[in-house]
Amino acid sequence: MESSKKMENAEEQSPLLERKISTPTKIAYALGHIFNDLTAAMWFSYTLIYFQRVALLEPIVAGALLLLGQIIDAFMTPVFGVLVDRYLKKKIWHIIGSVMVTLSFPVIFGGFGKSSHASTMLLYVASIAVFQTGWAAVQISHLSMIPALTNSLLARADLTAIRYSAQVGSAVAVFIVTWIVLPTDEEAMGRLVEEDSYKFRNIVLTLTSIGLMATILFHVFLKENLLEDLESHKGNIEEARRLFDGSQSSRTSLVATTILLRVAMLYVASRLFITLATVYLPLYIEETDIDGKEALATVPLVSYVSSFVAALLLKYINKSCGTKVCYFLGTLIGIISATVTEYGGTSKAILYIVAILIGSASSITMVTALSVTAEIIGPRTERSAIVYSIVTFFDKVVTGLVVIFIEKLRCTQPTYCPNYNRDTLALVCVLSMLLGLVTLFSVSRCLN
């Protein structure tokens, strides 16, 4: 009881909680995750094709390296959740993670395909481990800055939307760079060989340069005092950790943990929709055989642009509707996208309508899910990193398991299932959105 009163007094004395976020601060914050977003887009889009066609690794080895990265990322996320909350400052952890990404990311695509020696594999494993560890440090430290900057739910939603917009813009930047450097027609893509390693090296060096510049600007323009004014709350951290220890009654602890798990599932549902739609949209496009290679390039780009626009508009929608209504709207759009995919037929117009709907639903549900997470954290920002690490850990584990399950059931005879990718895309979209909808209703009492 006494610690609770101290916490309340500290919150009342902290000017940070009442401070509005200026536009320069919002822009500076958005720059902080661009490096991670650039590397993530490159990692998910080109790692397998690089390892198989350029580095000349066996498909099973390439897949194992990709899986290794996801496992390390998943398990390092909660580790940094604890470290960021307990030790050093958030910007220090952000710098440490950025340095690790800078030193390791170019090595992954550094052109070591000429050798199949154990030393080369060790280099790949080590660089992937360092890269994913650094990536997790940057992600958690950056996410935990949202509740530290403001206690306003609208302001937190605004920061989350800006962050997501930067993520979409980074993905588009990667798409443009690779479109310029790599051949874009299907026949040329089939001729990627070991000698093309310099192209990937140029891509990653370009992306690393852009990411480093964004990171430097982030640290220069985001003032330290905006993040660390709440350091006075550290003395009351036991109160802030009530979700994770037994300092309060077992009933209170159980209820709080249940709420956190439901919020985590809300985030997982949003991530499932985004990840699975990203994976199976190109396969669906290829299956329709409409516009060939051009559609494989332009349809995902339209989806990114739609997602970007929706993230910008979400700020104004959130002001008038609120968090719950926004997420509900996003799930409805996602379900409509699944319906159009399954029953809309196969035409060029339908492809782009599906892309727009998927992009919009992805943006709205993802930004809102992060806003809900910030809302659950409330003013006790000392636990923000561990909360974000828990929800992102669930995201990585569940998403990975679902993808493996889907691929294990993949139809191997297209004659008997000519619309397999269309049906899969529609099914994963509707199921993930229904999961989000059910979770929203279960957690709605905890939200304003």
Side-chain angles (χ1 to χ4, degrees):
M1 183 69 179
E2 182 179 353
S3 62
S4 178
K5 290 181 179 179
K6 289 180 179 180
M7 174 68 75
E8 292 173 358
N9 292 334
E11 290 168 4
E12 291 174 358
Q13 295 172 359
S14 175
L16 173 66
L17 294 178
E18 302 300 329
R19 183 184 298 133
K20 293 183 179 180
I21 304 177
S22 64
T23 299
T25 299
K26 294 178 182 178
I27 296 174
Y29 176 78
L31 294 172
H33 207 257
I34 284 180
F35 198 0
N36 259 23
D37 294 331
L38 291 170
T39 57
M42 184 72 184
W43 171 261
F44 286 111
S45 300
Y46 297 103
T47 297
L48 286 181
I49 192 172
Y50 172 81
F51 280 153
Q52 293 181 33
R53 297 187 182 180
V54 179
L56 304 180
L57 300 179
E58 293 294 328
I60 186 63
V61 177
L65 289 175
L66 185 65
L67 178 61
L68 172 67
Q70 293 307 104
I71 292 175
I72 293 174
D73 187 10
F75 282 95
M76 289 309 297
T77 295
V79 170
F80 281 110
V82 175
L83 294 177
V84 171
D85 276 341
R86 295 188 180 183
Y87 308 104
L88 302 179
K89 297 179 178 180
K90 293 177 174 60
K91 291 186 74 173
I92 297 298
W93 286 114
H94 191 281
I95 292 173
I96 292 173
S98 298
V99 170
M100 295 176 72
V101 172
T102 302
L103 295 177
S104 57
F105 180 61
V107 177
I108 298 174
F109 299 91
F112 301 102
K114 294 182 179 180
S115 174
S116 59
H117 295 272
S119 58
T120 301
M121 287 303 303
L122 181 62
L123 181 62
Y124 279 132
V125 170
S127 59
I128 289 173
V130 174
F131 165 62
Q132 294 290 358
T133 301
W135 201 97
V138 173
Q139 181 194 37
I140 295 303
S141 61
H142 191 256
L143 276 173
S144 67
M145 292 177 188
I146 295 178
L149 286 170
T150 178
N151 72 330
S152 167
L153 298 181
L154 287 177
R156 289 179 179 182
D158 195 16
L159 280 177
T160 306
I162 293 173
R163 183 182 185 275
Y164 187 82
S165 298
Q167 175 184 338
V168 175
S170 299
V172 172
V174 172
F175 174 81
I176 293 174
V177 171
T178 54
W179 198 4
I180 293 173
V181 177
L182 290 178
T184 56
D185 61 278
E186 186 173 356
E187 184 177 347
M189 283 297 288
R191 295 199 301 266
L192 280 178
V193 292
E194 185 179 355
E195 287 70 21
D196 291 319
S197 62
Y198 75 93
K199 297 179 181 179
F200 284 91
R201 190 184 305 119
N202 291 341
I203 292 172
V204 296
L205 290 177
T206 300
L207 298 179
T208 300
S209 299
I210 297 173
L212 273 177
M213 181 60 65
T215 300
I216 292 172
L217 293 175
F218 163 76
H219 283 281
V220 169
F221 291 105
L222 187 67
K223 304 303 180 183
E224 183 75 28
N225 66 296
L226 296 179
L227 298 170
E228 305 303 335
D229 278 354
L230 289 181
E231 287 299 311
S232 59
H233 292 213
K234 291 294 184 178
N236 300 303
I237 196 168
E238 288 78 13
E239 169 70 14
R241 289 178 192 151
R242 69 184 186 280
L243 288 175
F244 314 107
D245 59 29
S247 59
Q248 298 188 9
S249 67
S250 58
R251 176 181 175 82
T252 302
S253 178
L254 178 61
V255 171
T257 302
T258 302
I259 292 173
L260 180 58
L261 290 175
R262 281 181 284 172
V263 171
M265 287 309 299
L266 198 68
Y267 180 86
V268 167
S270 305
R271 288 297 306 172
L272 272 175
F273 181 84
I274 294 174
T275 303
L276 298 178
T278 301
V279 170
Y280 291 102
L281 180 60
L283 295 173
Y284 164 62
I285 296 169
E286 186 180 48
E287 185 178 79
T288 61
D289 197 25
I290 296 175
D291 274 2
K293 191 67 177 181
E294 182 181 353
L296 287 173
T298 56
V299 173
L301 181 58
V302 168
S303 183
Y304 281 130
V305 172
S306 172
S307 182
F308 181 79
V309 173
L312 294 179
L313 294 177
L314 188 59
K315 170 184 176 181
Y316 305 99
I317 299 174
N318 208 349
K319 285 183 179 180
S320 58
C321 299
T323 304
K324 292 181 287 188
V325 175
C326 279
Y327 195 91
F328 182 74
L329 175 63
T331 58
L332 287 184
I333 296 175
I335 293 173
I336 292 173
S337 72
T339 304
V340 174
T341 301
E342 183 67 24
Y343 302 107
T346 54
S347 66
K348 186 174 181 179
I350 291 297
L351 283 180
Y352 288 98
I353 290 174
V354 168
I356 292 172
L357 292 173
I358 287 177
S360 301
S362 299
S363 181
I364 294 173
T365 55
M366 188 71 259
V367 172
T368 309
L370 287 173
S371 299
V372 169
T373 306
E375 185 173 337
I376 293 297
I377 291 172
R380 295 174 174 83
T381 60
E382 301 91 334
R383 63 179 179 171
S384 59
I386 188 64
V387 172
Y388 279 120
S389 67
I390 289 173
V391 297
T392 53
F393 174 82
F394 276 108
D395 150 45
K396 293 176 176 63
V397 172
V398 173
T399 302
L401 291 176
V402 171
V403 170
I404 291 175
F405 178 76
I406 292 174
E407 289 305 309
K408 187 176 181 61
L409 298 178
R410 172 168 285 277
C411 175
T412 57
Q413 299 183 9
T415 305
Y416 297 104
C417 45
N419 297 315
Y420 178 82
N421 291 317
R422 182 201 68 187
D423 297 339
T424 301
L425 176 62
L427 185 63
V428 297
C429 285
V430 72
L431 289 182
S432 58
M433 288 294 90
L434 287 176
L435 173 62
L437 206 55
V438 171
T439 308
L440 176 67
F441 290 139
S442 71
V443 80
S444 60
R445 294 182 181 180
C446 309
L447 307 177
N448 293 327

